[in-house]
Amino acid sequence: MGPESLATIQVDDAKIVYRRVGNGRPLLVLNGFAATSGDWDPSFIHGLASSNELILLDNRGIGGSGDDGRPFDIARLAHDAAHVIETLGFERISILGWSMGGFIAQTLALQHPNRVNKLILFSTDPGSSEADLASAAVWSQLVDPSGTPHDRAKRLLSLLFPSDVAESFTANSATSWRLRVRGYLLT
């Protein structure tokens, strides 16, 4: 894996932080709700970076990326990602999206089909009016900034995963969070 670099790109009213890891075909990596580019399991990133140049974003308002305090939506995050792709000079790029990152990836592919080589989606859905939205009570817990980072992660995991899976993530958080699904290691 090649050296890692951190940088920012100005997108309209926000600075978007990203990091580049690896060498090879470009792959934009979009994380889930409230997660930063640093939250990916290092072994997962190392494996991908062995044959890809990864561009990992901190979405607007998350981690090192800023925002202007106004509400934004998935279309706005897709616009940010498209701007990063363009600024970095990639004509076409493959995109990996997990959870909310999958929402962003799909929206990006619809808005800028000429920029997308392949989509890799996991643990996501297409949204739309058919989607099951979180209740107000669940949503308030998802966006609750109180507690330590560990407390927030535990709360988020308990909302997004079955209790036994969430507990196993929390128990293994000192090393890495992993989930075995049908024999594949997902992080």
Side-chain angles (χ1 to χ4, degrees), residues 24 28 44 62 66 76 93 95 111 135 137 145 170 186:
L28 180 66
F44 179 72
I62 300 296
R76 179 72 219 187
I93 191 169
I95 303 169
Q111 291 177 348
S135 68
T170 303
L186 300 177

Side-chain angles (χ1 to χ4, degrees), residues 16-33:
I16 304 300
V17 170
Y18 68 95
R19 63 185 176 121
R20 294 174 93 157
V21 183
N23 296 298
R25 298 175 307 260
L27 177 63
L28 180 66
V29 181
L30 302 171
N31 212 336
F33 180 76

Side-chain angles (χ1 to χ4, degrees), residues 30-134:
L30 302 171
N31 212 336
F33 180 76
T36 70
S37 65
D39 290 332
W40 291 97
D41 182 297
S43 63
F44 179 72
I45 293 303
H46 182 77
L48 287 176
S50 67
S51 59
N52 298 279
E53 177 186 6
L54 307 181
I55 297 87
L56 299 107
L57 298 184
D58 281 1
N59 288 314
R60 174 182 292 260
I62 300 296
S65 292
D67 67 29
D68 63 2
R70 292 183 298 195
F72 53 87
D73 59 9
I74 297 298
R76 179 72 219 187
L77 298 175
H79 168 79
D80 293 347
H83 190 83
V84 169
I85 292 167
E86 182 180 328
T87 300
L88 294 177
F90 296 112
E91 280 189 44
R92 294 177 61 82
I93 191 169
S94 294
I95 303 169
L96 181 150
W98 175 70
S99 192
M100 186 185 81
F103 300 175
I104 300 166
Q106 292 170 82
T107 302
L108 179 60
L110 290 170
Q111 291 177 348
H112 304 278
N114 58 329
R115 291 271 185 202
V116 178
N117 184 36
K118 295 178 185 177
L119 281 180
I120 303 117
L121 304 171
F122 58 102
S123 192
T124 193
D125 71 48
S128 82
S129 61
E130 302 294 316
D132 290 327
L133 301 177

